[in-house]
Amino acid sequence: MTHVFIVGSKGIPAQYGGFETFVENLTAGKQSKELKYHVSCMNNDEKHFEHNDADCFNVRVPLPGAPGRIFHVGLVLNQVEEWAKQHPQEKVIVCILGCRIGPLLIPHAKKLHKLGAKVYCNPDGLEWKRSKWSAPAKAFLRYCEKCLVENSDLAICDSVNIEKYIKDTYGSRVKDTTFIAYGAYTDRSQCDEEKLNEWYTKFNVKRGHYYLIVGRFVPENNYETMITEFMRSKTEKDLVIITNVEHNKFYEQLREKTGFEKDKRIKFVGTVYDQDLLKKIREEAYGYLHGHEVGGTNPSLLEALASTRLNLLLGVGFNKEVGEDSALYWSKEPGNLAALLEKADTLDTVTIAELEKKSTARVQDAYSWKKIVQEYESVFLR
């Protein structure tokens, strides 16, 4: 039996977040009887419970904010080390999600290796590049990334571009890498029409008459470019933005720069936690706009390719790697996206149907959760 300890997510059952959704699907889709998953969860009620046949264990978060998450992972690894000591005959793999453990991993990796355990990691998507971080924070996060990949036995990258970056940056200092993508489902939404129509009525949105954006409300997702270009375009459709927007500093800056409140087509509608409803909103959109510039295989992009007929993606390596020829691409050059929106408005139904067929097939062939689970199990059992 191989015991895999998954460390670094908020835990399961998943309520939100890419890592949490990944762990939920990895454990729910488990196929091999030779694997036992142990999942650390952030909760002050320190107890064990079963979910998806995984041993889930709560570990308290000792401090608020980012420091608390760093030390939380350290506390989790203390428990893993104790378990490994008590079960010396068992094969142990520790799979760390994200980079924030940073330099704390150095002593823990030494202890785990002495106990015969392997340390695997998923370094995520260049967290240090996110614009929300100050220069000192970016430097620290990049150092955390270095500590993670150089002290792991294997770096599992969810993007070919991320794996290339890791190899190019760290060379022989990283022991091994592999590429396993994130996953998505291509089944259709089961949301009932009444619920959808209530949502449409609430926000004055018409079926098939809107472009959609779904994603975190952060500058590196290029909201300013997408909104500015949409306002510049002559499309008569709405721009529906599903995000965790609050009237914060970024929102006010965006409002002042773009004046979007004067454009009745632009509609910030908050978040949608009902996943069936969200999928239905994707399916009924005319098109999807994706401006993510930092990260690996982005979950919201996969969900869009699986659900939305027409996808307009920022033409960076991460997005082109995923979308290939199943999407249309835009740049941040002034006027580029506006022109693409106007072109998209004129596409005939046959062209849109061909793009939809390609995007659905792309997800089924390369990003189905069944395929992703099989690849992870192969790595854990090799």
Side-chain angles (χ1 to χ4, degrees):
M1 180 73 71
T2 297
H3 294 264
V4 180
F5 288 81
I6 303 175
V7 178
S9 76
K10 294 182 177 70
I12 53 175
Q15 294 180 326
Y16 51 83
F19 277 147
E20 291 71 34
T21 303
F22 158 69
V23 179
E24 182 76 45
N25 284 286
L26 181 69
T27 54
K30 184 168 78 76
Q31 299 163 25
S32 173
K33 295 180 180 179
E34 298 301 311
L35 282 173
K36 178 66 177 180
Y37 288 117
H38 306 259
V39 181
S40 68
C41 307
M42 292 184 178
N43 197 310
N44 289 333
D45 179 14
E46 296 196 333
K47 65 179 182 181
H48 285 251
F49 62 94
E50 288 278 322
H51 180 72
N52 292 343
D53 193 37
D55 165 41
C56 304
F57 58 105
N58 292 333
V59 178
R60 65 187 176 88
V61 181
L63 296 168
R69 296 194 67 176
I70 294 170
F71 289 110
H72 168 264
V73 178
L75 293 174
V76 170
L77 293 180
N78 286 338
Q79 293 195 22
V80 176
E81 289 156 13
E82 188 59 35
W83 191 96
K85 287 178 185 176
Q86 295 173 9
H87 302 82
Q89 304 305 314
E90 300 288 358
K91 181 181 177 182
V92 174
I93 296 172
V94 182
C95 186
I96 301 173
L97 306 178
C99 296
R100 291 189 183 182
I101 175 89
L104 286 183
L105 179 59
I106 298 173
H108 283 292
K110 289 179 180 178
K111 292 177 185 177
L112 288 164
H113 285 140
K114 283 183 179 179
L115 292 166
K118 294 288 187 181
V119 179
Y120 293 178
C121 71
N122 183 328
D124 203 11
L126 308 184
E127 177 70 16
W128 57 270
K129 278 194 171 184
R130 298 192 186 278
S131 58
K132 68 177 181 177
W133 301 116
S134 64
K138 286 182 177 182
F140 176 70
L141 286 169
R142 194 163 191 182
Y143 177 61
C144 288
E145 176 187 273
K146 177 179 183 293
C147 293
L148 183 77
V149 299
E150 290 186 1
N151 289 279
S152 296
D153 299 290
L154 175 67
I156 303 173
C157 307
D158 69 10
S159 160
V160 172
N161 280 269
I162 291 291
E163 184 181 22
K164 182 179 185 301
Y165 160 79
I166 293 293
K167 287 181 174 179
D168 290 348
T169 303
Y170 300 102
S172 60
R173 290 171 291 165
V174 57
K175 295 183 180 70
D176 196 9
T177 67
T178 191
F179 160 65
I180 306 178
Y182 196 81
Y185 295 106
T186 57
D187 54 313
R188 306 303 285 178
S189 170
Q190 300 302 309
C191 176
D192 61 75
E193 288 292 311
E194 184 179 351
K195 184 184 289 185
L196 177 67
N197 288 329
E198 285 177 2
W199 189 88
Y200 281 154
T201 300
K202 180 179 180 181
F203 295 107
N204 191 26
V205 174
K206 296 179 182 178
R207 183 193 302 259
H209 199 73
Y210 58 94
Y211 288 93
L212 181 66
I213 299 174
V214 181
R216 286 196 298 173
F217 192 58
V218 291
E220 61 265 20
N221 288 350
N222 286 294
Y223 280 95
E224 182 179 341
T225 298
M226 289 188 287
I227 290 172
T228 300
E229 291 294 310
F230 191 89
M231 292 174 67
R232 181 177 284 161
S233 78
K234 296 177 182 178
T235 182
E236 294 180 357
K237 296 177 177 64
D238 289 334
L239 178 61
V240 175
I241 304 172
I242 296 178
T243 186
N244 57 327
V245 64
E246 297 175 357
H247 288 230
N248 55 19
K249 184 178 179 181
F250 178 48
Y251 181 91
E252 294 303 326
Q253 288 175 343
L254 205 57
R255 184 179 59 80
E256 289 177 12
K257 284 184 177 180
T258 66
F260 64 77
E261 289 181 330
K262 299 174 185 176
D263 192 325
K264 294 181 179 179
R265 299 173 298 171
I266 296 172
K267 298 175 179 179
F268 281 91
V269 297
T271 50
V272 177
Y273 291 111
D274 183 325
Q275 292 303 303
D276 260 345
L277 174 58
L278 179 58
K279 180 175 282 191
K280 192 68 174 176
I281 294 167
R282 291 183 191 274
E283 290 171 0
E284 298 298 334
Y286 181 81
Y288 181 81
L289 298 184
H290 188 75
H292 289 52
E293 193 169 8
V294 176
T297 305
N298 183 265
S300 65
L301 172 55
L302 292 180
E303 288 157 8
L305 292 172
S307 303
T308 310
R309 289 183 286 271
L310 179 61
N311 292 279
L312 282 59
L313 318 181
L314 176 61
V316 294
F318 298 119
N319 298 334
K320 288 184 174 181
E321 170 191 328
V322 176
E324 292 189 339
D325 65 348
S326 72
L328 305 178
Y329 296 93
W330 51 273
S331 73
K332 291 195 285 185
E333 180 183 350
N336 183 272
L337 176 55
L340 184 61
L341 285 162
E342 292 172 7
K343 176 184 175 182
D345 276 353
T346 66
L347 293 177
D348 58 71
T349 55
V350 173
T351 301
I352 293 175
E354 288 176 351
L355 287 168
E356 180 183 19
K357 184 179 179 180
K358 285 182 179 180
S359 64
T360 303
R362 177 70 179 138
V363 175
Q364 289 173 335
D365 293 344
Y367 299 101
S368 72
W369 275 118
K370 182 178 180 181
K371 178 178 183 291
I372 303 309
V373 168
Q374 288 173 341
E375 290 178 355
Y376 266 95
E377 292 192 2
S378 177
V379 165
F380 290 147
L381 293 170
R382 70 186 183 185

